[in-house]
Amino acid sequence: MAVSADDWTDDPQAVDSFITRAKAVLDDNWTGRFTVPSPSLYPHQWSWDAGFVVLAYARYAQERAEQELAHLFAGQWKNGMIPQIVFNPDAPDTYFPGPDYWDAGRSPHAPDGVRTTGIIQPPVHATAVWHYQHFARDKERAVRFVERVYPLLAAWHHFLRRDRCSRRGLIHILHPWESGQDNSPIWDTVRKRTDVPEAFVKTAEAHRGDYIHKKTRPTRKDYSFYLYLVELFRAVDYDPKRMREVSPFVIQDVLFNTLYCRSLLDLGHLAHLIGEDPLPWWDEAHVTQVRMNEKLWNEHHGMYFDHDLTTNRRIKAEVAAGFTPLYAGIPRAAQAARMVRSLDSPKFYQVDERSWGVPSYDRESRKFSKSRYWRGPVWININWILCHGLRHYGYYDYAEHVRHAILKLPYENGFWEYFDPETGEGLGSDHFSWTAALALELILQPEYAQQVTEG
Ligand code: 9WN
């Protein structure tokens, strides 16, 4: 079945009002220096959320895109690390764990005068900067900005290569929060085999009230695991080598490595733009592609699986992120065809069926939950990554089917953090920035084309 581009609405005025509403979400969440992911739950700046909002600002708010990135880079560590969260000193003390719990300043690498966490999130920043300069109206200014941030992006990628990878392998992550998919079923086996001291269960319990919508969030056990890992890292002053040694969680994650690979390709393009050598970045991207195909691909399931470095075993959790390598051109054409067959099935998102986008987890698994965070609900960022990946391989009809979901979900139900794949009901926090931003990214493409024609 071919789904036409405007199936989600055939009313042009409705499209205009949708754009206005999406931009209003970003305006409301804009603090004057950066964009909070949502006003109710997340009052600070998150690393990959910042990258996603820049993809939208790139298309209509050049200066704001620069400010967003500059604020994130102000929190960059001296060893190049871009932290998961840059804390906002003016925010109410509602988010736990906050800056005092992390106490990241104990690391000699922490930035001066800015408080952050001591872990990372997926690297989408070079990709964001590439979009920024590509769509910028003031091109000269954009090139000057790229010249300014290129060394910072390079330092970030050097950090990943130096401190998050052994020899020329894949990048490993050390905490579920680093993947961006906090309570994904991928982490279940690691969490279950880790003895978390009772004190962390108590701390997690004490803060349960901080987490709204308990049934749609990670459990107390998940949170105690997250806090325990933070404690292990804090005890070694966030020293990258020691973190690797003490962590029971050392995973080569598909989504993280996919975005790393895409980021390297985009960093190469940025290098080329300002007269630097792109080849080392593209070489690195190539090595990552080869390694992912060697180590993470599973022909039987038609998708990629994470690898647990502690046990040296694949983690066979069928999550939507297992299809994201399409976005970085990682699978060969035959693999991509196999992946689309797995995606276009009752497990995920069948083309001729009434559901609401690609769920984060296999709908036929007994552990699937249609409402609990990264264990089933539809997330707009994963769908957006898949939509672009499918286009890249020429699966335009299926990509349109995914695009349709990305637009229709917030159009009909609001700009929620995640969505029930069966009913489309919005879950988590309302007024969520990347839901608005990525819908805008898809919808503003024709508008951009028009501006270019108008000259
Ligand atoms: C921990 C901000 C972040 C996203 C993550 C999402 C959620 C945080 C939390 O919110 O995680 O980082 O407290 O649950 O899982 O992807 O970046 O939107």
Side-chain angles (χ1 to χ4, degrees):
M1 183 183 83
V3 180
S4 89
D6 19 58
D7 259 9
W8 60 285
T9 173
D10 46 18
D11 175 0
Q13 274 178 346
V15 177
D16 277 353
S17 106
F18 181 71
I19 292 173
T20 307
R21 281 192 290 138
K23 286 183 176 175
V25 168
L26 294 178
D27 287 347
D28 291 348
N29 293 351
W30 174 247
T31 62
R33 290 167 298 133
F34 70 93
T35 312
V36 294
S38 91
S40 55
L41 267 189
Y42 308 114
H44 307 288
Q45 187 183 36
W46 263 257
S47 166
W48 77 331
D49 299 60
F52 290 132
V53 298
V54 166
L55 297 179
Y57 292 148
R59 285 167 167 78
Y60 71 94
Q62 181 172 356
E63 197 181 334
R64 207 188 269 188
E66 292 164 7
Q67 288 172 294
E68 183 79 43
L69 289 159
H71 188 270
L72 187 69
F73 281 122
Q76 185 170 25
W77 286 34
K78 292 167 195 156
N79 60 1
M81 183 180 91
I82 295 185
Q84 168 219 16
I85 302 176
V86 178
F87 289 111
N88 176 9
D90 304 329
D93 184 21
T94 49
Y95 183 79
F96 183 82
D100 291 343
Y101 191 93
W102 282 92
D103 190 19
R106 57 202 295 146
S107 164
H109 303 298
D112 300 321
V114 182
R115 302 192 81 187
T116 75
T117 64
I119 58 170
I120 56 179
Q121 271 196 326
V124 293
H125 317 92
T127 301
V129 174
W130 187 86
H131 277 250
Y132 155 81
Q133 63 77 31
H134 184 74
F135 292 103
R137 298 201 179 155
D138 185 341
K139 288 285 182 202
E140 276 177 33
R141 179 186 162 126
V143 172
R144 282 199 302 276
F145 185 79
V146 173
E147 281 167 347
R148 204 179 113 209
V149 297
Y150 177 79
L152 309 177
L153 289 168
W156 168 220
H157 289 75
H158 287 315
F159 164 84
L160 290 169
R161 177 56 40 208
R162 185 185 62 234
D163 290 328
R164 290 311 190 94
C165 162
S166 31
R167 293 183 299 279
R168 290 201 95 189
L170 296 166
I171 304 293
H172 58 255
I173 56 169
L174 299 173
H175 194 296
W177 283 337
E178 296 201 323
S179 73
Q181 313 164 80
D182 307 4
N183 67 339
S184 168
I186 314 173
W187 329 126
D188 287 1
T189 49
V190 191
R191 182 175 63 67
K192 281 188 188 144
R193 68 165 188 255
T194 307
D195 283 328
V196 175
E198 188 58 26
F200 295 94
V201 183
K202 290 214 175 87
T203 313
E205 183 62 42
H207 288 276
R208 279 197 91 192
D210 298 356
Y211 308 121
I212 58 159
H213 316 297
K214 282 183 196 153
K215 288 206 169 118
T216 69
R217 305 282 300 175
T219 63
R220 192 176 53 128
K221 278 194 177 155
D222 293 318
Y223 278 110
S224 57
F225 182 52
Y226 306 154
L227 297 178
Y228 175 53
L229 291 174
V230 172
E231 172 55 31
L232 293 176
F233 302 155
R234 185 173 52 181
V236 297
D237 296 337
Y238 302 103
D239 175 76
K241 278 205 177 55
R242 300 289 320 281
M243 283 169 73
R244 166 75 170 83
E245 284 160 16
V246 298
S247 183
F249 183 106
V250 189
I251 309 278
Q252 291 173 322
D253 177 48
V254 171
L255 177 61
F256 198 104
N257 279 282
T258 294
L259 294 174
Y260 175 64
C261 185
R262 177 62 193 246
S263 188
L264 288 164
L265 295 170
D266 291 326
L267 192 51
H269 292 303
L270 292 172
H272 185 65
L273 178 81
I274 59 167
E276 298 281 342
D277 183 4
L279 293 181
W281 305 120
W282 289 339
D283 177 51
E284 184 71 27
H286 177 68
V287 169
T288 307
Q289 287 171 345
V290 170
R291 291 276 182 279
M292 284 187 74
N293 282 322
E294 281 169 359
K295 202 166 181 188
L296 308 185
W297 169 248
N298 184 292
E299 179 68 27
H300 176 70
H301 291 272
M303 64 195 305
Y304 291 76
F305 286 134
D306 279 27
H307 190 90
D308 183 339
L309 282 179
T310 310
T311 56
N312 199 22
R313 293 174 80 116
R314 291 260 177 103
I315 306 176
K316 288 192 178 171
E318 292 182 67
V319 296
F323 301 105
T324 54
L326 293 166
Y327 177 62
I330 291 164
R332 290 176 288 274
Q335 285 171 288
R338 178 76 194 83
M339 290 166 86
V340 173
R341 283 206 299 284
S342 299
L343 257 178
D344 186 2
S345 80
K347 284 166 159 305
F348 286 97
Y349 188 37
Q350 265 186 303
V351 161
D352 49 6
E353 167 215 34
R354 289 194 73 78
S355 65
W356 292 84
V358 182
S360 43
Y361 187 37
D362 169 14
R363 289 199 289 161
E364 293 183 340
S365 165
R366 60 180 175 79
K367 292 198 291 184
F368 170 83
S369 158
K370 64 197 194 75
S371 54
R372 204 180 278 284
Y373 222 36
W374 290 92
R375 303 180 74 88
V378 174
W379 286 79
I380 295 301
N381 61 341
I382 299 292
N383 276 260
W384 181 90
I385 290 167
L386 291 174
C387 177
H388 283 283
L390 289 158
R391 282 180 180 174
H392 177 79
Y393 283 86
Y395 291 97
Y396 298 112
D397 285 355
Y398 194 81
E400 276 306 301
H401 191 52
V402 177
R403 177 179 184 270
H404 170 86
I406 295 171
L407 297 173
K408 190 170 164 135
L409 276 167
Y411 174 71
E412 295 206 348
N413 302 317
F415 296 91
W416 290 86
E417 188 179 1
Y418 42 103
F419 298 88
D420 179 324
E422 286 165 20
T423 63
E425 183 198 353
L427 300 165
S429 59
D430 188 7
H431 235 64
F432 193 67
S433 292
W434 85 41
T435 301
L438 297 176
L440 280 172
E441 195 280 336
L442 287 174
I443 216 171
L444 291 180
Q445 289 176 6
E447 188 180 277
Y448 169 71
Q450 199 183 345
Q451 281 162 9
V452 172
T453 326
E454 284 165 3

